[in-house]
Amino acid sequence: MVHSLTEENYLKAILSLSNENGQVNVNHLSKHLSIKMPTVTAMMKKLHSKKLVQYEAYKPLKLTDKGKKVAALVVRKHRLTEMFLVEKMGFGWEEVHDIAEQIEHIQSTEFFNKMDELLGFPKLDPHGSPIPDKHGKMVWKEYAKLSDCKKGDRVKLTAVINTSEDFLKLLNNKGLHLGSVLTIKAVEAFDGSMVVSYEKHTSETLSQVVCDRIRVEII
Amino acid sequence: MVHSLTEENYLKAILSLSNENGQVNVNHLSKHLSIKMPTVTAMMKKLHSKKLVQYEAYKPLKLTDKGKKVAALVVRKHRLTEMFLVEKMGFGWEEVHDIAEQIEHIQSTEFFNKMDELLGFPKLDPHGSPIPDKHGKMVWKEYAKLSDCKKGDRVKLTAVINTSEDFLKLLNNKGLHLGSVLTIKAVEAFDGSMVVSYEKHTSETLSQVVCDRIRVEII
DNA sequence: TTATTTTGTTAGATGACACTAACAATATAC
DNA sequence: GTATATTGTTAGTGTCATCTAACAAAATAA
Ligand SMILES: [Mn+2]
Ligand SMILES: [Mn+2]
Ligand SMILES: [Mn+2]
Ligand SMILES: [Mn+2]
């Protein structure tokens, strides 16, 4: 069966909210999608009747296995697209999310399989997030938040948890990218900001909001 | 202003019908799009109110200059996409139309400009049709129909007027492609079929329906 | 020139997806 | 444990793009 662009966006949103927050309710979803709650409720009933979502009034939302798979396959198309745009078309990692948000709804398995092949079957997208396989299987390697690290830690930047243009441009401006190796020189108790050094940068300050969205491997 | 996918498809259809048939009426459009006439009438009123189509009840349909430009820019996106799929992604010319039909509606000028650049600003798509420029300007070089040629003519295949998978597979099966140089050995008066030779093929028969859809340059 | 066929319009309905207003249930604060 | 705030549902509307049924105009044939 094929699903509408709208349905795909709802399913993807539920998957991503449940990955980051655990529970998902109508209100979260409503805010995340900028769609009013009554509309969300109506769509949940529809997706429930299609057996994509477990929905009971006033209870938290859950994807069924079927719904999880559909959502993961949309995520696959999104992340393959972002990778293709960066690796094969020369876009910056800060430019690709909005385009991928549209292309993820193209209906053509050959198109995405060709991307996959041309990219050499990548495991991660340009922001360090895992690309689900053809069956919707996704392996999330558990990384640490930069904001949870301590003074003196040496860490490698492995993923970013926000793909907005503004956030990624900030990282570009500071010369930070996936693979950057940082040393934490100080953690400010007052505002949670960190002073770090990496490559040619001997002392850069990152605010807590920024550190919260950066994932690292401690090395 | 931005136009819906549906509106874009109507505008493109009017442009392409007026290029091939001269006049366009509600009935043609209805058949071309497989959409019932009352729906087409309603959309013509809407596009008229947006000043994209000149519409008066019972009169033939005409694009305004504004409508022509919008339509041509959709055609540009379609043809750039087809070219990109063939040249950069390794698809066959028979596989790309349906994918391009979807991707032509992606909203991102940078995406299509990047394609254009990576392709080296091509003038023609994989089927020999001209790619409109950024302003919607399209130059149609006037080619002859193969079916209008005479016995003894030597011609170069320059374009195909149908991009259905079945038609292009037939050409693939006969080893015909853009650039093939054919010699017309016979024209059958009975059914309009032609016997031609080219490359390693000393004698192939092409039916009139096929010859009608092939454009050539006489050399 | 009248009859028939083809083409086009109007009217009314539907499904998908959004909204606001009003009310109801659940969670939190006092 | 009641009061308040938050979250969620129901009911009723609206827009977009589609449809069918019925009728009307224009083109074609007899
Ligand atoms: Mn993204
Ligand atoms: Mn999307
Ligand atoms: Mn095409
Ligand atoms: Mn299209």
Side-chain angles (χ1 to χ4, degrees):
Chain A
M1 202 199 289
V2 1
H3 309 95
S4 71
L5 179 150
T6 309
E7 290 171 353
E8 288 190 342
N9 282 338
Y10 275 93
L11 293 171
K12 192 162 65 96
I14 298 172
L15 182 65
S16 100
L17 286 176
S18 65
N19 280 341
E20 58 193 61
N21 301 355
Q23 277 212 345
V24 190
N25 57 36
V26 171
N27 199 268
H28 294 152
L29 206 45
S30 166
K31 280 173 181 146
H32 186 81
L33 294 169
S34 305
I35 287 174
K36 296 290 183 292
M37 282 200 291
T39 310
V40 172
T41 299
M43 181 57 79
M44 290 309 104
K45 287 178 175 173
K46 184 182 178 194
L47 293 177
H48 176 72
S49 80
K50 287 187 152 195
K51 305 210 189 295
L52 294 163
V53 167
Q54 270 178 253
Y55 168 77
E56 277 182 276
Y58 304 107
K59 297 260 176 75
L61 303 166
K62 271 199 73 178
L63 291 174
T64 62
D65 285 351
K66 193 179 158 200
K68 237 177 260 174
K69 182 172 176 181
V70 173
L73 290 177
V74 178
V75 170
R76 170 178 163 78
K77 294 191 284 175
H78 183 103
R79 293 187 178 159
L80 278 175
T81 300
E82 290 188 337
M83 201 62 180
F84 189 86
L85 291 171
V86 168
E87 294 295 317
K88 301 295 173 186
M89 296 189 71
F91 283 95
W93 69 341
E94 78 283 2
E95 301 177 291
V96 297
H97 179 79
D98 289 354
I99 302 177
E101 201 59 47
Q102 300 177 64
I103 294 195
E104 68 188 3
H105 306 291
I106 298 293
Q107 277 168 355
S108 166
T109 37
E110 307 85 54
F111 179 60
F112 294 100
N113 288 342
K114 193 72 93 173
M115 275 188 184
D116 201 12
E117 188 191 320
L118 290 168
L119 289 166
F121 310 103
K123 293 271 174 295
L124 299 175
D125 83 1
H127 311 106
S129 301
I131 299 174
D133 70 18
K134 288 180 194 183
H135 312 291
K137 195 145 285 176
M138 169 166 29
V139 202
W140 257 108
K141 201 164 163 195
E142 266 313 315
Y143 292 121
K145 275 192 192 175
L146 176 55
S147 46
D148 290 340
C149 295
K150 280 146 208 57
K151 177 175 172 179
D153 283 354
R154 233 175 108 74
V155 302
K156 186 162 79 181
L157 202 169
T158 50
V160 290
I161 279 328
N162 182 297
T163 56
S164 71
E165 197 159 346
D166 285 345
F167 174 62
L168 296 172
K169 275 185 169 165
L170 181 153
L171 298 188
N172 286 348
N173 291 341
K174 297 207 183 284
L176 283 168
H177 49 82
L178 292 196
S180 292
V181 173
L182 327 193
T183 304
I184 300 172
K185 296 173 65 183
V187 182
E188 298 294 349
F190 180 66
D191 65 355
S193 66
M194 288 179 151
V195 182
V196 298
S197 68
Y198 51 95
E199 293 159 18
K200 286 154 214 153
H201 303 71
T202 52
S203 175
E204 289 277 6
T205 298
L206 304 174
S207 70
Q208 184 166 41
V209 244
V210 167
C211 296
D212 268 345
R213 284 160 180 73
I214 292 178
R215 295 294 175 274
V216 297
E217 196 175 350
I218 300 176
I219 54 182
Chain B
M1 204 199 289
V2 359
H3 308 94
S4 72
L5 179 152
T6 309
E7 290 172 353
E8 289 191 342
N9 282 338
Y10 275 94
L11 293 171
K12 191 160 67 94
I14 299 172
L15 182 65
S16 101
L17 286 176
S18 66
N19 280 341
E20 57 193 63
N21 302 353
Q23 276 212 347
V24 190
N25 56 35
V26 172
N27 198 259
H28 295 152
L29 204 46
S30 166
K31 281 173 181 145
H32 186 80
L33 294 169
S34 306
I35 287 173
K36 296 289 183 293
M37 283 199 293
T39 310
V40 173
T41 299
M43 181 57 78
M44 289 311 103
K45 287 177 175 174
K46 184 182 177 194
L47 293 176
H48 176 71
S49 80
K50 286 186 151 196
K51 306 210 191 295
L52 294 163
V53 167
Q54 269 178 252
Y55 168 76
E56 276 184 277
Y58 304 107
K59 297 258 175 76
L61 303 165
K62 272 199 73 177
L63 291 174
T64 62
D65 285 350
K66 192 180 160 200
K68 237 178 258 173
K69 182 171 177 183
V70 173
L73 289 177
V74 178
V75 170
R76 169 177 163 80
K77 293 191 283 175
H78 183 102
R79 293 186 178 159
L80 278 175
T81 300
E82 290 188 338
M83 201 61 180
F84 190 86
L85 291 171
V86 168
E87 294 295 317
K88 301 295 174 187
M89 295 188 73
F91 283 95
W93 68 343
E94 77 285 2
E95 302 177 289
V96 297
H97 180 79
D98 289 353
I99 303 177
E101 202 57 49
Q102 299 177 64
I103 295 194
E104 69 189 1
H105 306 291
I106 298 293
Q107 277 169 355
S108 165
T109 35
E110 307 85 51
F111 179 59
F112 294 100
N113 287 343
K114 193 73 91 169
M115 275 189 185
D116 199 14
E117 188 192 319
L118 290 169
L119 288 166
F121 311 101
K123 293 271 175 296
L124 299 174
D125 83 1
H127 310 106
S129 301
I131 299 174
D133 70 17
K134 287 179 195 185
H135 312 290
K137 196 145 283 174
M138 168 164 33
V139 201
W140 257 109
K141 201 164 163 194
E142 265 313 313
Y143 292 120
K145 274 192 191 176
L146 176 56
S147 47
D148 290 340
C149 296
K150 280 145 206 60
K151 178 174 169 175
D153 283 354
R154 231 174 110 73
V155 301
K156 185 162 78 181
L157 202 169
T158 51
V160 290
I161 279 328
N162 181 298
T163 56
S164 72
E165 198 159 345
D166 286 346
F167 174 64
L168 296 172
K169 276 184 169 167
L170 183 153
L171 298 188
N172 286 348
N173 291 340
K174 297 207 184 283
L176 283 167
H177 49 83
L178 292 195
S180 292
V181 174
L182 327 194
T183 306
I184 300 172
K185 295 173 63 183
V187 182
E188 298 293 348
F190 179 66
D191 65 355
S193 66
M194 288 178 151
V195 182
V196 298
S197 68
Y198 52 93
E199 292 161 21
K200 285 153 216 154
H201 302 72
T202 52
S203 174
E204 289 276 7
T205 299
L206 303 174
S207 69
Q208 185 166 40
V209 242
V210 167
C211 296
D212 268 346
R213 284 159 181 72
I214 291 177
R215 295 293 177 275
V216 298
E217 197 176 349
I218 299 175
I219 55 181

